[in-house]
Amino acid sequence: MKNEDLKFHWRLSYSGEAETTTWDRQFSVEDGAPHIEMQVDFCRKAEEAGIDSLLTDFGYGKPDPMLLAAILGQQAKKIKFILAYRSGLFAPTMFVQQLNTLSSLIDGRLSLNIVAGYSPDEQRAYGDFLSHDERYERTEEFLAICRAFWESKDSVDFQGNHYRVEKGALKARYVSPDRSFPEIFIGGGSEQANRLALSQGTCWMRLPEASEALRESVAPVVARGVEVGLRLAVIARPTREEALNTAMAMAEGVDRAREFVKTSVGHMDSVSFKASYEMGGREWLTPCLWAGAARIYGPAAIALVGSAEEVARAFIEYKRLGITQFILSGWPKLDEMVNFGRIVIPIVREMESEAAAYACSGRCEAPNASR
Amino acid sequence: MPLRFHWSLSSVGDKFRGAKARTEMSGLFDFDEQAEFSRAAEASGIESLLMALGSYRPDPMALSMALGMVTKKIKFMAAVRPGIVSPTYFVQQVNSISALTGGRISINLVTGNAPHELDYYGAFLEHDERYERADEFLAICRAFWKRDGEVNFEGKYYTIKGGRLNTPFVSDERVAPEIFLGGNSELAEQLAMKHADCLWRFADTPENLSERVPPILNRGVEVGLLVSILARPTHEQAVSDAYAMVETLKAQRTFGKDFARKTDSVSYKATLELAEKSQSDWLTPYLWTGAIPYMGSPSIALVGSAEEIAAALIEYKKIGISQFLFIGWPDLDEMTFFGREILPLVRKRELEMEGECQLAARG
């Protein structure tokens, strides 16, 4: 993989999800027990598939992502982890200390996906009663303190509305072969999320829309030196017909799932999740982009559906808009990831090197340029 | 019940824990060295390792997790300070570790001993308020461990609504981790009696301790001693090594007094005072305060031969002390010596005592 190549990440599978083909299992109560062997296997398959990092989710139903990454990272040697995290759970000093410790245990193979939280119910269960906007304000302060620990040579002093730190100093440093602090993905479609990504993030993660609609929001972010990434699902098959059949089969007999998603979204205060759910009503945003999945699998599930070639081309199109990273998921998780690595990534890489060669030949005035 | 022994892991490879100025520590650690230390602890009959918390160390939770994966038996006593983590999230982390290590995690709650350190974690409360918050923190944690429906709590420091976690505390022996709590103040005692399984005290003479132990035991809470240990094949060598260490420390710094000015911990202050008021460095023939001016209160130490130290431990046992948390100088050697030379003597004496008890009961 070259530096300018698109980066593909995948959502790590938790209990049982690796094998499931139906939605049923996902919203049945998860047992919350770690399934390390299955997950180590998942990590190794991700490495083989050419996946860059695995997203370890945060939620009350799951084991702690940070500790999970410590174990998985010691057993799988190459894969990185994107740790989902929310402000408000830890004092920022303590958070940096834990993250730095983790970095030294797994050679810095981690990045952060900071979400301000999307479900007030879940936030309250963690003792957090702030509103949507206040959560963003706090997250801004939280990350400002974290970055001060990572980037400043002096001790950290901070006085904000939500945090106050005096003479902060940590001995445990961030350990990585190539960075002084982790990449910071900021997820969210609201104005606040966008601002936060620009001020504290390294990559703004958002949900997909049709290319034209994306173009406008991507360019100004990229112009400010922050990357843009998409959270997407993928259903890729050798032929378009097979992919469509898979998608349509998923949409059948899942009334319970639809009800469940509808209720959950009703309790959320996330701008992008609500928007994505709304888009789900339109079913197909482009011939390849199926928003209908958002009504069955939840708002993060808008899916690219098509032949390997079509899906690869869709990624290249996103790349032309300036999007550089993707956090993907699929159903069943493991199979779709392995399949993606086998049939889609090679085409993407081929298209990328062709594009690079083309761009180069343009610049270098290739022999046939005079034609 | 046989005495239980724990050891303080020197998490940054400082073989003389506490003997090095904190500013000199790198915060980086050698994981393999620590894994080796953990396995040596298992082999030495140590039950758990204290994973201390401080800005000059790595994070205890992440480290416990990682070490748990490369060991089989040893437990990890992870230090936690309320106020720097959401109680819900803390329980989620503890439960995750328990599920992955077969329950080899316990908790050492410290309300914080140094206001300046708490400030850089962003926790600005006075001594008494810290205890009040710790009380709420532990009440919430224990409610989660009950696994008796949703957790709802409304207090001065925390409000939790509809709290639930899917990852349970996993252990063959317990439904919740064992909770240790350190402190010498009235408030610490009250908090321990309410929420903890064992209260840590700094070492003192058995005579001084004997009055304060029984009321706590009567409330069903154990009392343990936090004490340093310097044992050698002979008494003379132990004493000479102890003073040699002080000579080295003298050249480096004076930690104890400087820290004493800043700390608001009752027990830290009490132990310093004990050392200062005493005419000699020896509170008893084996309890030595000579290092306290340089290394602070935790350096009150048992010094002597294997036989002497075993006898001292038994003496403490007789007044109701049931657990010990050691800091050793130098760490690994001291722990190995303890496991090889001292522990068998303690176990032997314990068996004899049991026999004497039975005899007495029959008589």
Side-chain angles (χ1 to χ4, degrees), chain B residues 50-312:
Chain B
L50 172 70
M51 312 297 286
L53 177 69
S55 63
Y56 47 93
R57 300 173 177 285
D59 168 65
M61 300 302 269
L63 200 54
S64 300
M65 181 77 271
L67 290 173
M69 298 314 285
V70 297
T71 49
K72 299 269 176 257
K73 221 171 75 186
I74 193 90
K75 294 179 191 160
F76 301 92
M77 190 190 292
V80 58
R81 289 189 191 154
I84 57 181
V85 55
S86 139
T88 311
Y89 184 50
F90 175 69
V91 172
Q92 190 170 11
Q93 287 207 321
V94 170
N95 288 1
S96 298
I97 295 178
S98 78
L100 290 160
T101 61
R104 291 187 285 130
I105 176 108
S106 59
I107 291 167
N108 188 39
L109 187 126
V110 275
T111 56
N113 51 41
H116 63 280
E117 180 163 280
L118 291 165
D119 290 352
Y120 58 63
Y121 278 113
F124 297 84
L125 291 180
E126 296 303 317
H127 181 271
D128 291 10
E129 284 179 308
R130 293 206 302 271
Y131 274 97
E132 206 175 45
R133 181 175 56 192
D135 184 4
E136 291 190 7
F137 184 89
L138 286 175
I140 296 167
C141 292
R142 293 182 64 193
F144 273 106
W145 282 316
K146 259 190 179 167
R147 284 189 88 69
D148 184 22
E150 281 185 359
V151 174
N152 289 291
F153 186 91
E154 195 148 354
K156 191 167 153 194
Y157 302 92
Y158 300 103
T159 307
I160 303 290
K161 207 171 151 191
R164 52 186 175 153
L165 291 167
N166 273 355
T167 306
F169 185 80
V170 179
S171 155
D172 290 340
E173 299 155 17
R174 308 180 55 92
V175 295
E178 198 165 1
I179 299 171
F180 296 87
L181 193 145
N184 210 35
S185 66
E186 187 83 5
L187 287 169
E189 269 180 24
Q190 280 166 14
L191 187 62
M193 291 193 270
K194 201 164 161 192
H195 292 303
D197 299 289
C198 178
L199 176 68
W200 289 127
R201 286 241 190 267
F202 283 128
D204 197 339
T205 63
E207 194 189 354
N208 287 347
L209 284 169
S210 63
E211 277 175 36
R212 301 191 59 182
V213 172
I216 300 166
L217 297 182
N218 287 339
R219 296 282 296 272
V221 175
E222 293 182 60
V223 179
L225 284 194
L226 208 169
V227 65
S228 292
I229 182 166
L230 200 156
R232 298 291 182 270
T234 65
H235 178 83
E236 290 69 29
Q237 199 187 330
V239 172
S240 122
D241 279 10
Y243 283 104
M245 192 175 75
V246 165
E247 283 311 310
T248 319
L249 290 169
K250 261 186 193 161
Q252 288 176 356
R253 67 211 182 95
T254 53
F255 170 78
K257 280 182 186 147
D258 186 39
F259 184 81
R261 275 194 295 277
K262 288 189 194 160
T263 185
D264 61 357
S265 153
V266 172
S267 55
Y268 274 73
K269 286 188 164 167
T271 306
L272 283 172
E273 212 178 273
L274 197 65
E276 276 169 6
K277 275 191 183 156
S278 168
Q279 299 294 316
S280 107
D281 287 348
W282 299 91
L283 297 180
T284 73
Y286 50 80
L287 192 60
W288 180 65
T289 60
I292 291 179
Y294 313 98
M295 295 164 75
S297 311
S299 67
I300 186 163
L302 292 172
V303 177
S305 67
E307 289 76 17
E308 287 169 323
I309 289 186

